[in-house]
Amino acid sequence: MAVPARTCGASWPGPVRTARPWPGRGPRPFPDPRDPASGPARPLLLLLPPLLLLPLLTAPGASAYSFPQQHTMQHWARRLEQEIDGVMRIFGGVQQLREIYKDNRNLFEVQENEPQKLVEKVAGDIESLLDRKVQALKRLADAAENFQKAHRWQDNIKEEDIIYYDAKADAELDDPEGEDVERGSKTSTLRLDFMEDPNFKNKVNYSYTAVQIPTDIYKGSTVILNELNWTEALENVFIENRRQDPTLLWQVFGSATGVTRYYPATPWRAPKKIDLYDVRRRPWYIQGASSPKDMVIIVDVSGSVSGLTLKLMKTSVCEMLDTLSDDDYVNVASFNEKAQPVSCFTHLVQANVRNKKVFKEAVQGMVAKGTTGYKAGFEYAFDQLQNSNITRANCNKMIMMFTDGGEDRVQDVFEKYNWPNRTVRVFTFSVGQHNYDVTPLQWMACTNKGYYFEIPSIGAIRINTQEYLDVLGRPMVLAGKEAKQVQWTNVYEDALGLGLVVTGTLPVFNLTQDGPGEKKNQLILGVMGIDVALNDIKRLTPNYTLGANGYVFAIDLNGYVLLHPNLKPQTTNFREPVTLDFLDAELEDENKEEIRRSMIDGNKGHKQIRTLVKSLDERYIDEVIRNYTWVPIRSTNYSLGLVLPPYSTFYLQANLSDQILQVKYFEFLLPSSFESEGHVFIAPREYCKDLNVSDNNTEFLKNFIELMEKVTPDSKQCNNFLLHNLILDTGITQQLVERVWRDQDLNTYSLLAVFAATDGGITRVFPNKAAEDWTENPEPFNASFYRRSLDNHGYVFKPPHQDSLLRPLELENDTVGVLVSTAVELSLGRRTLRPAVVGVKLDLEAWAEKFKVLASNRTHQDQPQKCGPSSHCEMDCEVNNEDLLCVLIDDGGFLILSNQNHQWDQVGRFFSEVDANLMLALYNNSFYTRKESYDYQAACAPQPPGNLGAAPRGVFVPTIADFLNLAWWTSAAAWSLFQQLLYGLIYHSWFQADPAEAEGSPETRESSCVMKQTQYYFGSVNASYNAIIDCGNCSRLFHAQRLTNTNLLFVVAEKPLCSQCEAGRLLQKETHSDGPEQCELVQRPRYRRGPHICFDYNATEDTSDCGRGASFPPSLGVLVSLQLLLLLGLPPRPQPQVHSFAASRRL
C-alpha cells in the first residue's frame, strides 16, 4: 500500500511511528530530552529492517515516483565504487609505481627499524648529553661553595667597589621614567659589546657574565654587594665549562638573595611594564632548593580581617601558590569559628597549573566575618596532613597560616598532633598593620620548626612568601653530599628566549661556620642550573627513518612529556612550566595508561596496541595499530618511548653510487623540467649545514639547487641519507610521469591534477599548472593526506578545508578540488613497507554532475530516465534532485559531494552545518562515533576588560554615623580603611596588574587556554540501512551505506519539506572550555611518582632562628595625621618593608 503524499503538516501512518523494538533487532536506547546527561536532544529515529520498510517506501510528492528501493541504492553504490576504483587504477598508478620500485631495486636497500635497539641507543645518547651537563653543574656547585667559604664579609662595602655587567642597565638607562632610579649603581656597570649567536637565539658576550637583580631588591644593600663580590669568581668557571663542552647553553647561579648571575652575558629582556622576574620563583630554582612539599594554607577570615588586610591575604596566598611545583601537594582553607576549604578540593591535591588556578579563583571569594578560631584552622590543617588515603608528596609537611593577629597559642592542638616529633613545620604570617601582640604567632612558628613573617604592605608579599624555602633547605644543607643530587625539571619556557628547555639543578650550600667549634651553617646559598634546549635532545632522535607516523617521546615521573610530536604550546608563560600529560598528548585509553605507568616506574617494555589517533589537521580520527617500546633514561627521572606502525618496520635507503645517475635524477628537480615532468615540491629538511631555510618552497628549492652546484650528495657537510633518498625519489616519481601520467587526458575524467608524495621528501604534481593551486604541506610527513593514507586501506578522500565562519568556496575557474589518495604498499621478499602515496585531485563541479549520473536510473549515458504518468518509477539523484538529497560524506562527517547545486560551495563543511537533522540521524544510527578531547596548549584572544568603574570588592565603606563616632576612629576598621586608601594610592597598579602584562606582554597578546575538540569517525555499522527520522509531521526516509575501499558514506534521503522539527545540532568545531571538571579529576588522580629522595629532617637542625618582628601600634595622633595627609592630597611616605629573614643572611 502506498504512503500518501507528504506535505507540511501531514503525518505518517500509525505503524511507522511506533517506537517499540522490531523483531530481530534490539532497541537502541533513546535519550530522554529532559535528561541533560543524555547529550543534545535527538529526534526519534526508527531503525526498520529492510523487509518491513519496503511496503512503506512509496514516495511522497507524486504518485508516479517512489523512494528508491534498497537494492537500487546498493546498485548506485557499486557504480560509485567502480568509478572511483577505475579512475585510481588508471591515473593513480599504484601498480605501476610498485613496478618502478622493483625495476630500480639495485638503487636502494631495505633497512629495518629494530625498536629495542633504537630506543636503547637514543636513551644512551640522551643520557650522555645530560651527563656532560651534570659534570659541568658539579664543577660549578663545588666552586661556588669554595668561593663563598673563602669570602670575607665586608660591612663597609660600597657600590663603586663592585664592577659587573648589570643586564638591566641598558633598559633602565633608556627608561624615561627611571631618571632617579639607582643612578649610583650605573657608575659601576660594565658596557659590553655583543655578537649574534644562533645557538642562543640572542646576542651574547662570551667574556663576561651578566647579573640580574629583581626590581624590588635594592642593589646597593650590603647583602647584595657581598653577594656580587664573591660570585664574580664564578665567571672563570663558566668560561672553562664552555671550553670543555662548547654545546653548553645558559649556565646560571640563582642566589637565595635574589641575585642571578648567568653566562654568557646578554642584555636582559626588559618588559614593557613591571619586571617581576625573581629567580627564586622560577620552576627550576624551586625544585632545586627543597624537597617535595605537602602544604596546607589556612587563612583567617574573621571579622577583624577586612579592607586592605584581606586583600593582602588573598594576594599572599596566590603568591605562595606560585612557589609550588608539580612535585608538591596543597590545599587552602579559610577559618573563623569553623574551618572550611575555599574550593571544591576536600583534600591535598597536586600543585599543578590547573589546580592552582582553581585555588586562586576561589581565594578571591573569601569574605571576612565571625571571630578568630585558631584551633579550628589548625585542627583542619593537621587532619589534612594526616590523611594517608590520598596521593601526596610524603616529604616536607607544613602549615602556612595567614592572620592579622590573635591571642590564642593553641598549644593543646600542637601537643595532640605535632609534639614531640614536630614532623609538621608551622609558618605564621602576620598580615597588615595592626596593634595586636604578635608573640603568640612567633611562638607557634618557633615551637614547630617553622618561621614567623610579617607582611605589613604589598611590597613585602613576594619576598616573605618565598623565604620559607630557606627553612626547608636546612635538612638538605645538613645532609651534605648525600643531598647534592642533580634533578631535571619539567619543560618550561626560557626567560632569555631560548625556547622550550629543561634544566639540570644542583643546590649550593653554605659551608662556613660562625667560629671554631661552632655549628656549621645551615643556609642554602642558592641553586646552580644549566639549560638544555629540547631541540638539542630532539636532534638525537631518528626522524625520517621512522616514517611519517613513527615518533619518539619521553616523559617524566609526573607523566608529563619531555619530547612528543604533539608538544606544541601555542603560547607560553615563562612563569609556569609547560605540563602536557602523555595521556593528553595522545588520545587516552587503557593500554596507554598501562604504558605510562610502566614508564614512570622505570621499566622496560614493548606492547602492540590498537588505538585511536587524531589526524594532523585535527579533523579526523583513525583506528590504527601501533607498536610501543620503552626504556628508562638512566641517571635521570625520564623514560623514553618509541612508537612505530607495523608498516614502518622497514624503510628504504638509497644507494646512488653512480654519479651520472645522480646528475640525471637531479635535473628533474630543475624548474626547467617542470612543464613536461610536473612540478616538484621538496620537503624543507636539513639536507646540508649551509642550506638557507625558507618558508617559500620555490625559494627553498632555489637555495637547494644553488648549494648542490657547489657540493655533492656525498659531502661531509650534508646528510647523505636525506640527500640520496631525495634524489632517488625524484627519479622514481619522474618515471611515473613517463609511464602513466604524460599520456593520459586528465580532462576526460574531470581531474585537476595527479600527484605522488614520498618518504624521501618529494611531492610531484602533474601538470605543472596544477601546482598554482596546490595547498598541501610540501613536507609529506606534515601533510594530513599523506599520514592518513598510510594508516588507511583504500582510497582516502580529503575535501578542501572550510571553516563555518568563512565564506563558501569559490567555484570559479574549476580550481576547487577534492583529493583522493592511497598508499603504495611495496612487498620485497617478506618485507612490507609503504614508501609513497599517490592520488588524484577531482574537479569538484564536474564530479558533482558525474555523481548525479552514477546515482541515477539512467540506462544510457546521455539520456535521463523518463517516467510516464501511468507507471511507477523510483526517484533518483539526478531527475528528482528537488525531492531527493544524495550526498557523499567522509569518515569525519565532512561533505564531499552533493546532488544539490546550492550545496557545492559547502563541500568540506561538517555535514551538521548542511543538514543537522540528517547528520544527527546518522550519528544515532551508529554510522558515526564521537570522540571528545581537550587541547591544553591552545591560545585564546584576551578577554575584553570589564567595567572597572565600580568600587573594589571587599572594601568597607563607613557610614556618616561612623565618622561622627570617636570610637570608630580608633578601631581596627578605621585603621584598615586608612591603609586601604593610602596603599591604594601608592600601589594601585600593583593590585590591578595582570602578571602577564607586568612581565611585558603586549595588551593584545594571546593567552593559554583550554579548547574542547570533537571529532567523528565511522562506527561499527558496515551494513546498508534504510531508516525513518520520525519527526512528527515532518518525518523523512533515508538510506545510508558505506562505499567499499573508501572513507565515504553514501546517503540518500528525502529533502525536508518543513522545519518544524529542529534537531539538536552536532558540533565539530573547536570550542573554548574550562576543561574537564577539576573537582572530579582530583578524585581519580593519574598515576605519578615523586623524586626518590627526601630531605625533611635532620637531628642537628638549629631551629632557634625562627623569625622576629615588631608591632607598631598606631596612636590616635598618627591616625589623624594620616587622614589629614590624605585630605590635603600630600604624598604619604611609604612604610618600610620588613625583611626579617634576609637580615639573618650573612654571607
Side-chain angles (χ1 to χ4, degrees):
M1 175 177 139
V3 177
R6 182 166 56 109
T7 58
C8 196
S11 62
W12 291 103
V16 179
R17 301 181 58 192
T18 179
R20 67 178 182 273
W22 293 92
R25 179 188 303 277
R28 175 159 183 156
F30 298 110
D32 183 350
R34 297 165 297 179
D35 181 8
S38 64
R42 301 180 178 182
L44 190 60
L45 176 64
L46 299 182
L47 308 181
L48 304 181
L51 292 176
L52 293 175
L53 269 175
L54 290 177
L56 302 173
L57 295 180
T58 305
S63 60
Y65 286 101
S66 63
F67 190 80
Q69 300 271 347
Q70 180 165 337
H71 66 82
T72 300
M73 292 180 282
Q74 289 174 338
H75 171 65
W76 295 346
R78 285 193 296 272
R79 290 169 66 175
L80 288 166
E81 292 165 356
Q82 291 167 3
E83 184 71 13
I84 294 168
D85 185 65
V87 169
M88 289 299 291
R89 285 181 181 275
I90 295 171
F91 292 94
V94 173
Q95 184 58 39
Q96 294 91 331
L97 192 53
R98 285 196 193 106
E99 294 172 0
I100 292 171
Y101 273 109
K102 291 178 180 178
D103 291 345
N104 292 275
R105 183 65 183 83
N106 62 313
L107 299 181
F108 61 83
E109 298 173 357
V110 179
Q111 302 291 348
E112 182 178 0
N113 283 315
E114 299 181 68
Q116 194 65 40
K117 288 184 179 179
L118 267 177
V119 76
E120 287 179 352
K121 180 184 182 303
V122 174
D125 291 343
I126 295 175
E127 180 189 354
S128 298
L129 170 72
L130 299 183
D131 184 65
R132 293 196 297 272
K133 316 308 175 190
V134 168
Q135 298 310 314
L137 267 175
K138 291 179 177 178
R139 288 192 293 269
L140 282 168
D142 290 344
E145 290 171 352
N146 291 329
F147 291 151
Q148 192 275 335
K149 186 176 181 180
H151 172 257
R152 300 186 65 180
W153 177 271
Q154 301 179 48
D155 284 320
N156 299 320
I157 193 170
K158 299 179 180 178
E159 290 184 68
E160 51 266 28
D161 297 335
I162 307 299
I163 306 297
Y164 65 100
Y165 172 65
D166 183 350
K168 298 199 294 184
D170 293 337
E172 290 172 355
L173 286 171
D174 294 337
D175 182 7
E177 299 178 1
E179 333 179 325
D180 299 323
V181 180
E182 302 183 36
R183 279 205 179 272
S185 66
K186 296 183 177 63
T187 59
S188 59
T189 297
L190 296 169
R191 303 303 297 268
L192 304 180
D193 296 323
F194 301 95
M195 57 180 287
E196 193 71 37
D197 190 315
N199 294 322
F200 287 89
K201 303 177 183 178
N202 220 326
K203 292 183 176 180
V204 299
N205 184 306
Y206 282 112
S207 300
Y208 294 90
T209 57
V211 171
Q212 190 273 350
I213 301 174
T215 303
D216 54 351
I217 292 180
Y218 175 47
K219 300 177 184 178
S221 72
T222 304
V223 170
I224 298 301
L225 293 176
N226 274 277
E227 189 85 4
L228 293 173
N229 192 15
W230 76 260
T231 58
E232 182 183 2
L234 289 173
E235 197 166 90
N236 292 331
V237 187
F238 286 140
I239 294 172
E240 176 59 20
N241 269 348
R242 181 177 178 271
R243 188 191 67 78
Q244 294 188 31
D245 181 5
T247 66
L248 281 177
L249 296 176
W250 301 122
Q251 303 176 64
V252 187
F253 174 60
S255 167
T257 62
V259 172
T260 305
R261 188 180 284 272
Y262 60 90
Y263 175 86
T266 190
W268 189 249
R269 290 196 162 197
K272 295 181 180 179
K273 293 192 176 180
I274 306 169
D275 180 14
L276 296 181
Y277 181 93
D278 189 321
V279 69
R280 295 166 295 182
R281 290 182 170 269
R282 299 293 284 141
W284 63 270
Y285 184 95
I286 293 171
Q287 183 169 325
S290 64
S291 293
K293 302 174 278 295
D294 286 322
M295 175 186 291
V296 179
I297 302 173
I298 54 176
V299 186
D300 180 359
V301 291
S302 59
S304 62
V305 179
S306 60
L308 179 65
T309 301
L310 185 58
K311 273 191 174 183
L312 289 174
M313 286 187 181
K314 293 177 179 179
T315 305
S316 298
V317 172
C318 293
E319 291 290 329
M320 178 67 71
L321 289 169
D322 284 340
T323 67
L324 302 178
S325 72
D326 290 78
D327 289 334
D328 303 321
Y329 282 74
V330 64
N331 201 357
V332 182
S334 60
F335 69 91
N336 36 43
E337 301 94 339
K338 297 181 179 179
Q340 60 183 6
V342 298
S343 70
C344 58
F345 300 144
T346 58
H347 55 74
L348 292 171
V349 297
Q350 188 181 17
N352 57 40
V353 173
R354 292 193 289 278
N355 287 341
K356 287 193 287 188
K357 180 181 178 183
V358 172
F359 282 128
K360 290 178 180 180
E361 291 174 351
V363 162
Q364 300 308 316
M366 292 191 306
V367 178
K369 61 182 179 180
T371 59
T372 303
Y374 286 160
K375 183 173 183 177
F378 277 107
E379 285 185 338
Y380 177 88
F382 279 114
D383 286 340
Q384 290 277 298
L385 293 172
Q386 289 183 354
N387 185 356
S388 59
N389 296 323
I390 58 170
T391 305
R392 55 183 185 173
N394 283 321
C395 193
N396 285 294
K397 298 177 179 61
M398 67 202 68
I399 298 172
M400 325 297 274
M401 183 181 72
F402 293 88
T403 180
D404 63 342
E407 302 296 330
D408 191 2
R409 300 191 178 201
V410 290
Q411 182 171 341
D412 57 328
V413 175
F414 297 131
E415 289 175 347
K416 176 181 178 182
Y417 289 96
N418 204 36
W419 294 355
N421 295 326
R422 292 173 169 79
T423 55
V424 177
R425 296 181 188 267
V426 174
F427 295 86
T428 55
F429 298 81
S430 174
V431 184
Q433 294 196 5
H434 44 72
N435 57 357
Y436 297 120
D437 180 13
V438 299
T439 304
L441 299 181
Q442 291 175 316
W443 180 88
M444 292 178 193
C446 292
T447 56
N448 290 281
K449 297 172 65 175
Y451 209 92
Y452 164 74
F453 298 97
E454 290 185 356
I455 303 179
S457 64
I458 291 295
I461 290 178
R462 283 169 61 85
I463 187 72
N464 286 322
T465 53
Q466 66 195 22
E467 291 281 6
Y468 78 93
L469 291 171
D470 287 329
V471 178
L472 300 189
R474 291 172 182 170
M476 292 178 64
V477 178
L478 296 172
K481 291 183 178 180
E482 185 184 352
K484 299 296 289 292
Q485 299 193 32
V486 173
Q487 296 187 67
W488 290 95
T489 67
N490 296 328
V491 177
Y492 69 96
E493 177 79 5
D494 174 48
L496 290 171
L498 204 55
L500 295 180
V501 299
V502 292
T503 298
T505 65
L506 194 59
V508 180
F509 301 152
N510 190 331
L511 303 182
T512 59
Q513 291 181 327
D514 294 334
E518 296 289 331
K519 289 184 180 180
K520 105 184 221 187
N521 199 301
Q522 55 186 16
L523 285 177
I524 187 170
L525 291 177
V527 177
M528 202 66 73
I530 289 183
D531 290 345
V532 178
L534 288 197
N535 286 335
D536 289 342
I537 300 177
K538 287 178 185 176
R539 290 190 186 99
L540 301 176
T541 65
N543 38 24
Y544 301 111
T545 60
L546 302 180
N549 291 316
Y551 57 91
V552 171
F553 71 98
I555 66 173
D556 64 13
L557 295 180
N558 281 300
Y560 298 146
V561 295
L562 163 73
L563 297 176
H564 199 285
N566 293 335
L567 179 62
K568 301 173 183 175
Q570 300 300 306
T571 180
T572 51
N573 176 359
F574 81 77
R575 298 183 67 186
E576 297 175 350
V578 179
T579 52
L580 178 66
D581 197 283
F582 169 65
L583 297 178
D584 295 322
E586 304 192 1
L587 292 177
E588 182 177 358
D589 60 36
E590 291 182 1
N591 285 316
K592 291 176 183 174
E593 288 181 14
E594 181 183 328
I595 291 169
R596 177 181 177 274
R597 175 182 285 265
S598 179
M599 294 179 71
I600 290 174
D601 287 339
N603 299 324
K604 292 183 179 181
H606 175 83
K607 190 178 183 67
Q608 183 177 89
I609 66 173
R610 182 175 291 274
T611 186
L612 299 178
V613 298
K614 200 179 298 183
S615 67
L616 199 63
D617 56 12
E618 298 183 330
R619 287 159 62 89
Y620 299 93
I621 296 287
D622 290 312
E623 186 176 7
V624 301
I625 295 176
R626 293 288 189 264
N627 293 306
Y628 282 74
T629 308
W630 60 94
V631 298
I633 303 175
R634 290 175 297 182
S635 303
T636 74
N637 291 330
Y638 302 131
S639 185
L640 187 77
L642 171 66
V643 181
L644 273 182
Y647 55 78
S648 291
T649 302
F650 301 98
Y651 63 93
L652 299 184
Q653 180 171 350
N655 183 18
L656 292 178
S657 56
D658 186 343
Q659 294 188 356
I660 297 176
L661 193 61
Q662 288 182 13
V663 173
K664 177 185 175 182
Y665 285 176
F666 178 76
E667 289 178 350
F668 296 127
L669 285 174
L670 301 178
S672 58
S673 70
F674 290 176
E675 197 59 41
S676 61
E677 312 300 332
H679 193 98
V680 175
F681 297 91
I682 67 170
R685 300 175 180 174
E686 296 181 16
Y687 300 103
C688 298
K689 293 180 181 178
D690 296 333
L691 178 59
N692 294 324
V693 180
S694 173
D695 293 332
N696 183 299
N697 200 258
T698 301
E699 185 177 341
F700 181 73
L701 178 60
K702 178 174 175 285
N703 296 341
F704 177 80
I705 292 171
E706 289 176 353
L707 182 62
M708 287 297 100
E709 291 173 349
K710 301 175 185 177
V711 301
T712 69
D714 300 311
S715 171
K716 290 183 179 180
Q717 66 165 297
C718 297
N719 185 318
N720 305 136
F721 171 81
L722 291 182
L723 271 179
H724 279 254
N725 278 28
L726 180 78
I727 295 172
L728 173 65
D729 286 356
T730 304
I732 283 180
T733 55
Q734 185 277 333
Q735 292 176 45
L736 184 63
V737 176
E738 193 174 282
R739 296 191 191 186
V740 182
W741 296 346
R742 192 181 294 156
D743 296 331
Q744 299 289 348
D745 182 6
L746 302 186
N747 293 327
T748 303
Y749 285 86
S750 306
L751 303 181
L752 297 176
V754 288
F755 60 89
T758 70
D759 278 359
I762 290 293
T763 303
R764 189 180 291 275
V765 180
F766 185 89
N768 184 38
K769 65 178 182 179
E772 297 174 5
D773 303 301
W774 187 258
T775 58
E776 303 302 318
N777 197 307
E779 170 56 82
F781 286 13
N782 292 336
S784 184
F785 82 88
Y786 191 86
R787 296 172 66 161
R788 293 204 70 217
S789 297
L790 295 175
D791 272 333
N792 290 274
H793 291 285
Y795 308 123
V796 177
F797 281 69
K798 178 181 179 292
H801 179 76
Q802 276 215 72
D803 192 303
S804 59
L805 301 178
L806 301 178
R807 64 181 183 178
L809 290 172
E810 300 287 347
L811 295 177
E812 299 176 2
N813 303 323
D814 298 329
T815 59
V816 176
V818 175
L819 292 188
V820 188
S821 57
T822 187
V824 178
E825 187 162 286
L826 190 61
S827 294
L828 300 169
R830 296 183 178 180
R831 297 169 295 185
T832 301
L833 62 160
R834 297 175 185 172
V837 168
V838 296
V840 300
K841 187 176 183 181
L842 308 180
D843 183 329
L844 175 60
E845 193 167 355
W847 269 78
E849 292 291 350
K850 183 179 292 192
F851 170 58
K852 291 186 199 177
V853 174
L854 293 170
S856 73
N857 297 322
R858 279 198 193 195
T859 55
H860 297 88
Q861 181 69 19
D862 56 352
Q863 187 175 358
Q865 176 187 343
K866 300 290 185 180
C867 187
S870 61
S871 60
H872 283 283
C873 302
E874 293 182 4
M875 288 192 290
D876 68 28
C877 300
E878 181 183 25
V879 174
N880 308 98
N881 62 351
E882 292 185 1
D883 301 305
L884 201 63
L885 171 68
C886 303
V887 291
L888 289 178
I889 313 171
D890 71 12
D891 56 330
F894 298 96
L895 180 62
I896 299 292
L897 289 174
S898 172
N899 72 331
Q900 305 296 311
N901 293 22
H902 69 277
Q903 291 180 352
W904 291 354
D905 62 357
Q906 298 184 65
V907 166
R909 287 197 172 174
F910 186 57
F911 191 59
S912 187
E913 299 168 12
V914 180
D915 192 326
N917 189 274
L918 183 53
M919 184 63 196
L920 190 57
L922 295 171
Y923 173 66
N924 277 352
N925 198 15
S926 298
F927 278 100
Y928 286 96
T929 300
R930 178 167 55 192
K931 181 68 177 179
E932 294 179 342
S933 58
Y934 294 94
D935 177 7
Y936 294 101
Q937 306 177 88
C940 297
Q943 296 294 321
N947 182 7
L948 300 178
R953 290 178 295 175
V955 175
F956 170 71
V957 181
T959 64
I960 295 297
D962 288 325
F963 279 112
L964 296 177
N965 186 345
L966 182 61
W968 179 84
W969 283 87
T970 60
S971 70
W975 178 237
S976 178
L977 177 64
F978 287 139
Q979 293 181 71
Q980 183 171 295
L981 294 173
L982 178 60
Y983 289 101
L985 292 173
I986 304 171
Y987 295 107
H988 173 73
S989 62
W990 204 97
F991 276 117
Q992 303 292 338
D994 179 86
E997 291 184 3
E999 299 292 358
S1001 303
E1003 299 285 350
T1004 58
R1005 178 178 176 177
E1006 293 181 326
S1007 59
S1008 61
C1009 61
V1010 179
M1011 299 295 285
K1012 184 178 182 180
Q1013 294 183 339
T1014 305
Q1015 287 89 14
Y1016 292 81
Y1017 60 101
F1018 281 154
S1020 58
V1021 175
N1022 289 309
S1024 174
Y1025 270 55
N1026 290 324
I1028 293 177
I1029 308 172
D1030 186 6
C1031 198
N1033 296 331
C1034 298
S1035 298
R1036 299 169 67 186
L1037 293 169
F1038 78 91
H1039 167 91
Q1041 179 174 343
R1042 293 266 294 273
L1043 294 189
T1044 304
N1045 209 35
T1046 73
N1047 67 325
L1048 297 180
L1049 182 69
F1050 176 42
V1051 183
V1052 179
E1054 294 179 310
K1055 293 180 68 174
L1057 295 180
C1058 51
S1059 57
Q1060 292 180 3
C1061 184
E1062 284 296 329
R1065 175 171 293 184
L1066 296 176
L1067 297 178
Q1068 189 275 335
K1069 65 179 181 180
E1070 220 176 28
T1071 56
H1072 188 273
S1073 171
D1074 292 329
E1077 180 56 54
Q1078 286 297 116
C1079 303
E1080 297 176 5
L1081 286 182
V1082 297
Q1083 302 304 321
R1084 49 182 193 282
R1086 286 171 172 167
Y1087 180 71
R1088 65 173 295 278
R1089 289 179 62 191
H1092 64 280
I1093 55 173
C1094 172
F1095 298 96
D1096 61 341
Y1097 172 78
N1098 191 289
T1100 64
E1101 179 183 345
D1102 179 8
T1103 61
S1104 60
D1105 182 9
C1106 53
R1108 52 192 172 276
S1111 178
F1112 302 99
S1115 65
L1116 180 60
V1118 173
L1119 290 173
V1120 173
S1121 300
L1122 285 170
Q1123 177 64 8
L1124 290 174
L1125 285 173
L1126 290 169
L1127 293 174
L1128 295 173
L1130 297 177
R1133 185 175 182 178
Q1135 292 292 325
Q1137 298 178 11
V1138 177
H1139 302 287
S1140 57
F1141 197 92
S1144 67
R1145 178 178 295 284
R1146 287 226 152 191
L1147 306 180

